[in-house]
Amino acid sequence: MAPACSKKRVRALTSNTEPMASATAPVMYWMSRDQRVDDNWALLRACDLARERGAPVVIAFNLLTKYLGAGARQFGFMLRGLRELEAKARAAKATFAMTYGDEPAAAIDALAKKIGAKTIVCDFSPLRDGVRWRKDLAVLSEKRGAHVEECDAHNVVPCWEASDKLEVGARTLRGRLAKRYPEFLKEFPAIPDDLVEYDGPAIDAVKWDDLLAEALKRGEAVPEVTWAIPGETAARAVLDDFVANRMKLYEKRNDPSKPRALSGLSPWLHFGQISAQRCALEAKKAVGKASPAAYDSFFEELVVRRELADNFCYYCPGQKYDEMEGQKYDWAKDTLRAHAGDKRPYIYTLEQLERAQTHDDLWNAAQRELRYGGKMHGFCRMYWAKKILEWTESPEQALKWSIYLNDTYSLDGRDPSGYVGCMWSIVGVHDQGWKEREVFGKIRYMAYDSTKKKFNIPDYIARVNALVKAAKSDFKTGEKSSAANPGLFSIDVSGVKRKADAMA
Ligand code: FAD
Ligand code: FO1
C-alpha cells in the first residue's frame, strides 16, 4: 500500500535523515498541537513508518503543569478531549501513553528509551516553546541514534512549504498557498486497520480522574465553561452543524449580535481536536447550502488568515511574535513611538480591565463575554484590543495586557492567531498606515460611534448579559444551558441534543 502521508509534509530534525529500520521497536508519535486521531497527518505518517517495519504505533502526550496562563478552563477542555482520544486510539490499535512535567523533551525521550522507540514523529508548532521542545528532543534522540522528524498536521500547506520567509500579509501568502492546494488540500485516508498492537514494556495507565481533579484545582481561578464539549466528536458536530445550517449566515460574521454566523470552531481548532483541512473540505462540499461568497470568506479566515498567523510566528525576527520591538514594521513602531507621549483619554489598571470596569458598555460586554463565555466574538476582539491601546500607558503595556487577558480567559488563546490578532490591532502587523491621530498615530483606529452604526450594540450587550447570568448559574448547578454558549449554537453529540435559542 502507498504511504498515506506525503513526504513534503515531513522534515527531519535529526541528521540521520532516514528513519531507523527496526522491525519491532514501536514508532512513536509525540502528539502536542494536533490532539486528534482522525485526519491527522502526523499520526498517518507514524502509521506509514510503522507499517513499513511491521511495528506498532505509540502515541505519547506530555502533560505540562503550566502553559502560558492556561487554567482549569483550558486544561479541563484538553484533558477531557485526550481521554476520548485514548479510547479512539485504542480502537485503531495504537497505544496512548502520557508523560509528565515541564521539560517535555526529557520526558518524551525517557519514554522512548523505555519502550525502545527509535523513530519519533512530532507534529509542528510555530511557537517558541514548541520549536525549542522539538529541537531539544532531536538533540537527546541523536545521542542515542534515534531519528526525529516533524510533520505539519495543523496547516493545509505545511508552514515551511508555503513560504520560507516572513510574508508581508495575506496578499502575498494567498497566492503561494493557492498554488499548493492541488498537492495538499486533499481528502484524508483512514487510519490503516492492520496496525500491529504494542506489547513491549508496560506503559502506565493514565489516571484521568486524578489528572483532571489536579488540573481543575490548580487552575480554579478560571473555571471551565459548560457549553464547550471537548473532543473530536463534539468538534465534528460543531463543524457539521455549521456547514449544514450556519455557513449561509457567514456574511454576517462581523455582527456580534448574530453570533450563530460564526463557525465557533476556534477552541477545537486550537487544541487540534479537529483539522482545519477537514473543515475546509466539508465546507466545500456544503457550498450549495450556503453561497460561494460565504464559503470563500470562511475559507479565507480558516486557511489563509490562520496559516498567515503561523507564518508570522515562525518567521518573525527572533520569533518575537508577541513584542513590539524586533518587528519589521518600522512605520508602525515609528508612529507609535511618535505618539507615546500623547495624553490618553482614559487610563485603566489591569484589574479594572479584567473586571470590565471601563466607561464603555461595548468594551465591558466584550470582556465579560471573554471572561464568562471563554470566547469573544471575532469583531469585538479587534475593538477590544484597540481600546486597550487607547486606555493604557504604552503600546508595550497594551500588548502585554491584551495577550494576558486573551491567554488567560479564551479557550482558543495561546495560539498564533491570538498573537497576530493582538499584534495586528495594536502594532499594525499585516496592516498599513491610516490617517494619523492621537495615541494611535497611523495605526488603524476603531471608534464607538462608527461601530454603533455597524451593528446593534444593545442587542449584543443583552446577549452577553444573558450569557453571564447563565454561566454563573451553570457554574453553581452543573447545568449546561445553551445561553452560556457565546455562539448560541447547539452541539449534538451521541444523541444528546442541546437546543440553542432560536436567535439567528
Ligand atoms: P470563524 O470566523 O468561524 O473562523 C473560522 C476559523 O478561522 C477560526 O476558528 C480561526 O481558526 C480562523 N480565523 C478566523 N479569523 C481569523 C483571523 N483574523 N486570524 C487568524 N485566523 C482566523 N483566533 C484564535 O484562534 N485564537 C485567539 O486567541 C485569537 N485571538 C484574537 C485576538 C484578537 C485581538 C483578534 C483581533 C483576533 C483574534 N483571533 C484569535 C482571530 C479570530 O478573531 C478568531 O479566530 C475567531 O474569532 C474565532 O472564532 P470562530 O472560530 O467562530 O471564527
Ligand atoms: N501541549 C502539550 O504538549 N502538553 C500540554 O500539557 C499542553 C497544555 C496546553 C494548555 C493550553 C493550551 O492552550 C495548549 C496546551 N498545549 C499543550 C498545546 C500547545 O498549544 C501546543 O503544544 C503548542 O504546539 C506548543 O507550541
Side-chain angles (χ1 to χ4, degrees), residues 242 250 253 262-267 269 298 301-302 305-306 309 375-378 381-382 384-385 406 410 412-415 417-418 421-422 424-425:
F242 173 68
Y250 199 67
R253 69 187 176 285
L262 295 179
S263 73
L265 282 162
S266 58
L269 283 166
F298 179 60
E301 304 291 1
L302 173 79
R305 301 281 162 169
R306 205 183 39 76
K375 181 175 180 288
M376 191 194 295
H377 188 278
R381 295 192 201 211
M382 299 186 267
W384 172 88
N406 195 51
S410 202
D412 64 20
R414 301 148 304 295
D415 189 278
S417 299
C422 292
W424 177 88
S425 308

Side-chain angles (χ1 to χ4, degrees), residues 2 190 231 257 269 295 346 418:
S257 66
L269 283 166
Y295 164 76
Y346 300 88

Side-chain angles (χ1 to χ4, degrees), residues 412-438:
D412 64 20
R414 301 148 304 295
D415 189 278
S417 299
Y419 299 123
V420 171
C422 292
M423 293 293 277
W424 177 88
S425 308
I426 296 169
V427 189
V429 160
H430 297 147
D431 205 357
Q432 61 187 48
W434 294 74
K435 188 169 170 287
E436 195 157 2
R437 54 175 299 129
E438 294 283 280

Side-chain angles (χ1 to χ4, degrees), residues 288-324:
K289 292 184 179 157
S291 67
Y295 164 76
D296 287 348
S297 307
F298 179 60
F299 187 88
E300 169 74 13
E301 304 291 1
L302 173 79
V303 180
V304 180
R305 301 281 162 169
R306 205 183 39 76
E307 304 203 358
L308 179 64
D310 265 34
N311 171 280
F312 178 76
C313 291
Y314 193 58
Y315 289 117
C316 79
Q319 285 208 286
K320 293 183 180 170
Y321 44 75
D322 47 359
E323 288 176 34
M324 185 169 118

Side-chain angles (χ1 to χ4, degrees), residues 61-195:
F61 184 88
N62 181 72
L63 182 62
L64 305 162
T65 62
K66 51 184 183 297
Y67 186 64
L68 300 173
R73 177 169 298 172
Q74 297 88 1
F75 271 98
F77 187 83
M78 184 181 82
L79 282 167
R80 293 179 201 279
L82 288 170
R83 181 160 59 183
E84 182 194 14
L85 181 145
E86 182 192 45
K88 239 182 130 136
R90 194 180 314 118
K93 290 196 251 158
T95 298
F96 182 85
M98 184 86 98
T99 64
Y100 305 90
D102 294 324
E103 284 303 331
I108 292 289
D109 181 59
L111 175 68
K113 258 191 225 149
K114 174 177 159 184
I115 64 174
K118 289 217 155 188
T119 303
I120 304 174
V121 181
C122 310
D123 48 33
F124 167 77
S125 165
L127 298 184
R128 288 187 294 270
D129 52 14
V131 170
R132 181 175 64 79
W133 296 342
R134 287 160 180 83
K135 272 193 190 143
D136 289 352
L137 178 68
V139 170
L140 293 170
S141 302
E142 189 119 25
K143 285 188 191 148
R144 59 180 194 91
H147 168 82
V148 181
E149 55 182 41
E150 72 183 334
C151 176
D152 189 346
H154 214 74
N155 291 300
V156 172
V157 181
C159 185
W160 58 87
E161 288 287 325
S163 174
D164 59 1
K165 62 176 197 303
L166 185 70
E167 292 294 328
V168 174
R171 180 171 53 83
T172 59
L173 184 66
R174 193 179 295 112
R176 285 176 173 273
L177 291 175
K179 279 195 202 133
R180 309 302 295 276
Y181 295 145
E183 219 176 320
F184 291 111
L185 185 48
K186 288 185 173 160
E187 192 45 73
F188 289 90
I191 297 278
D193 57 9
D194 58 355
L195 288 179

